Amino acid sequence: MGSNGDRHVGAFNFAIVLALCLGSLTYGYSFSVTSTTLGQPAFFEYFDLSDDESSPSYAFTNRIIGGLNGCFSGGGFLGAVFSGWACDALGRKKTLLVATPIGVLGGVLQGGSVNLAMLLVGRLLGGFAVGILMVLVPLFQSEIAPPATRGFLVSQHGVVVVFGYSAAAWIGFGCYFSTTPAFQWRFPLCLQALWPLVMLALTPFLPESPRWLIMKNRTHEAWAVLGKLHDAKISSERSSFAKEELYQITHQVAEDQELARSETVWTLFTKASYRKRMICAFLVMFGSESTGILVVYNYSVLLYEGLGFTGSIPLLLAAAYVTVACCGNYISSLLVDRIGRRTSLVIGVTGCGVGLIFEAALSATYVETTNHAGLSAGVFFLFLYISFYGCFVDATTYVYCSEIFPNHIRSRGMAWSLAILFLSTVAYLIPAPTAFAQVGWKYYLLFILLTAICAPLLWIMLPETKGLALEEIGEKFGDHVAVRLTQLTSDQTAELDKVIAENSGPQSVHVEMTSAST
C-alpha cells in the first residue's frame, strides 16, 4: 500500500490541468493589459488624459489610472467571494460556465469603450470573472493532481498567469508601432475576450472534480474520473493507486461531512484548525502582495520612464521583465515539490525585500539624472527582484492555499485567500500613481518594511505540506485524518484489499461511504 507518492501524471490529467490554465491566462492577460495600455499615447489622447506630470489635469489622470486597477481588483474580490459559494453549490465545472461568458463581456466592453464609464464597467466585469477563475483553477487542479506532483501541476497556474502578463506586454509593445492610433490600445483590450471564449468552448469536455462528486455521493462518477486521471486501464498498479485514492477520499469525505453538519461559515474562524489555515492563507497572500509585486509590474512602464527611458523602450523593458517572471515561474514549478512550499516562500519574499532595498537606494540617487550606470543598475535590481518573486513566490502561493483546506471547505478557503489577494491589490494599486508622483522612491519603503515582517512570520507559522495527499494535510493543522495510505491499520488494509480484489477491472468500484475510524 501507500503508493500515494506516485509521480506518474497521465496524459488526460495533464490535459485537464492545461485546459484549466486558460482561466489562468485570462487573469494574467486581463490584469497585465492595463500596464501596456498606459504606455500607448493614443489611449491618453482618446480619453483626453494627460501623461505630462506638470499638467494641472495630471491628478485626474492618476485617479483614472487608479480607478482602472481598483475596479478590476474590486471585481476580483466580489468574484472570489461568489466563487466560494458557487464551487460547492454548482460544482467546479458549472462555475466555469458562469465565469467565462462574463469574462468575454468584460473584454468586449473594454475594447469597444467609447467613454471612461464604459471602460471602468468593463474592468469591473473582467475583474469579477477572473476573481471566480482565480479561486476555481488552482482548487480544481489540486483536486485532480497526484500528491507527489501536485506542486508541479498546480504551479502551472502561476506559470500561465505570468505567461499572460508576458503575452500582454509583448502584444502591447508590438501594437505601439501600429500606424492606426485606435488599434494601438483597442486590439490588446479586445484580445481579453479570446481566452475565456476558448475556455467556454472547452468546458463541456472537462470532467467534474472527483472530490466534489464524492461530496455529492456520486462515487461511481468519481471513480470514472479517477480511473481516467490515473490511466487505470494501462496497468494493475495504476488501477490500484486510483482505488487507494478513492478509498482515502471517500472515508475522509464521510468524516468531514459528519463534522460539517454542525459547522457554519463562522466555524472557519472559531475552530482552531480552520482558523490556523485562514491565518496561514492570509499570511501567504498578504505576504506575497506586500512585496509590492503588482505595484512594481502594473506601473513598470511608468517606473522605467521615471528612470529616464523613453519611447518604446519602457514597453520593451516591461515585456522582458514579465518574460523573466514567466521563466521563473516554470523554475518554481520544478522546485516546489523538492524544496517545499514554506522554504520557497521565505527565500522569495526575503530576496524581493533585498532587491527593493537596492532599487530604492538607486532610485533615490539617480532618478532625474543622466547617470547611465546608475539608471541601468536600477533596471538590473528590478529584474533581480522579479527573478526572486517568479522563482520562489508566485506559483507557490496558489499551490499552498489550494491544498491546505479540507475538501468540504476548500472552495471557501480559496475564496478567502483570493479575497485577501484582491483586497491587497486594491490597497496598494489605487494610491500607487499618486504615491510615486508625490513621494517617489519612498513608496518602496512600505514594501521593504512589510517583507521584513512577513518573511519570519511565514517561516514560523506555515506547516510544510509537500508530498502529502490532500486528505493527509489536515494532520499538520491538528485535524483527524481518517485514512493514511502509508500507515494503514490492519482493518483498513483488509478493507482496501477487499475493494481492490472485488473490483479488479478499472470500470467500476464500490466503496462504502462510512467512517474509517475503526
Side-chain angles (χ1 to χ4, degrees), residues 48-364:
D48 196 25
L49 300 173
S50 173
D51 57 358
D52 181 2
E53 294 185 17
S54 62
S55 171
S57 61
Y58 190 69
F60 173 74
T61 299
N62 277 340
R63 289 196 295 272
I64 294 300
I65 293 172
L68 288 173
N69 290 304
C71 284
F72 188 79
S73 297
F77 169 78
L78 296 175
V81 172
F82 171 81
S83 190
W85 168 81
C87 284
D88 283 339
L90 306 178
R92 284 43 166 163
K93 187 172 174 178
K94 287 183 179 178
T95 303
L96 278 176
L97 293 173
V98 173
T100 46
I102 298 174
V104 172
L105 178 60
V108 169
L109 286 176
Q110 291 171 65
S113 294
V114 296
N115 53 50
L116 287 171
M118 187 174 174
L119 182 64
L120 291 170
V121 169
R123 289 299 287 171
L124 182 67
L125 289 175
F128 185 79
V130 301
I132 298 173
L133 294 171
M134 288 294 280
V135 170
L136 175 58
V137 170
L139 179 154
F140 205 158
Q141 290 172 329
S142 72
E143 291 183 337
I144 65 172
T149 55
R150 188 174 58 246
F152 172 76
L153 292 177
V154 181
S155 289
Q156 301 314 304
H157 169 66
V159 172
V160 179
V161 164
V162 183
F163 177 78
Y165 293 168
S166 182
W170 285 111
I171 289 168
F173 175 69
C175 289
Y176 178 87
F177 299 99
S178 171
T179 56
T180 305
F183 185 85
Q184 291 177 356
W185 63 274
R186 286 195 186 276
F187 176 76
L189 290 175
C190 285
L191 206 56
Q192 290 177 91
L194 177 61
W195 324 122
L197 184 62
V198 175
M199 189 163 201
L200 178 61
L202 290 178
T203 298
F205 301 99
L206 300 179
E208 182 54 87
S209 163
R211 286 174 167 85
W212 184 82
L213 289 170
I214 291 172
M215 287 192 289
K216 300 301 179 182
N217 295 318
R218 294 159 62 178
T219 308
H220 284 280
E221 292 177 61
W223 167 245
V225 176
L226 283 170
K228 288 183 179 180
L229 291 174
H230 295 303
D231 288 336
K233 292 183 179 180
I234 292 179
S235 68
S236 59
E237 181 182 357
R238 292 178 186 175
S239 178
S240 295
F241 173 59
K243 288 167 185 172
E244 288 175 14
E245 187 172 30
L246 182 71
Y247 176 86
Q248 183 180 52
I249 296 169
T250 52
H251 283 69
Q252 190 65 50
V253 164
E255 185 167 299
D256 290 344
Q257 287 180 330
E258 186 66 31
L259 293 172
R261 292 189 179 97
S262 60
E263 294 177 354
T264 67
V265 67
W266 301 112
T267 309
L268 293 171
F269 301 95
T270 57
K271 185 175 179 179
S273 62
Y274 294 177
R275 184 171 60 246
K276 183 176 181 180
R277 289 175 169 93
M278 300 292 270
I279 292 172
C280 287
F282 173 87
L283 283 174
V284 168
M285 286 302 183
F286 179 75
S288 67
E289 293 308 304
S290 294
T291 61
I293 182 61
L294 293 184
V295 171
V296 172
Y297 173 64
N298 218 44
Y299 299 108
S300 59
V301 172
L302 302 180
L303 293 177
Y304 296 131
E305 290 174 348
L307 288 171
F309 298 95
T310 58
S312 64
I313 300 301
L315 285 171
L316 178 61
L317 289 171
Y321 180 87
V322 289
T323 301
V324 170
C326 188
C327 295
N329 269 258
Y330 186 72
I331 293 171
S332 175
S333 73
L334 300 176
L335 292 176
V336 70
D337 285 320
R338 290 171 170 79
I339 68 174
R341 284 61 159 153
R342 182 178 65 171
T343 301
S344 183
L345 287 167
V346 172
I347 291 173
V349 169
T350 303
C352 287
V354 171
L356 285 179
I357 290 173
F358 283 98
E359 183 63 30
L362 289 165
S363 296

Side-chain angles (χ1 to χ4, degrees), residues 437-502:
Q438 294 184 357
V439 300
W441 64 270
K442 294 178 183 178
Y443 194 42
Y444 289 127
L445 299 179
L446 170 65
F447 302 113
I448 292 169
L449 175 63
L450 289 172
T451 54
I453 294 171
C454 289
L457 286 177
L458 289 168
W459 182 258
I460 294 168
M461 295 294 296
L462 266 56
E464 184 52 66
T465 57
K466 71 170 182 175
L468 296 173
L470 288 178
E471 285 66 35
E472 297 179 5
I473 289 174
E475 189 173 35
K476 293 282 187 174
F477 294 88
D479 285 338
H480 176 256
V481 175
V483 176
R484 299 180 191 85
L485 290 176
T486 53
Q487 301 175 31
L488 292 178
T489 66
S490 58
D491 288 344
Q492 289 171 337
T493 300
E495 183 182 354
L496 179 55
D497 286 340
K498 183 179 179 182
V499 168
I500 294 175
E502 290 179 350

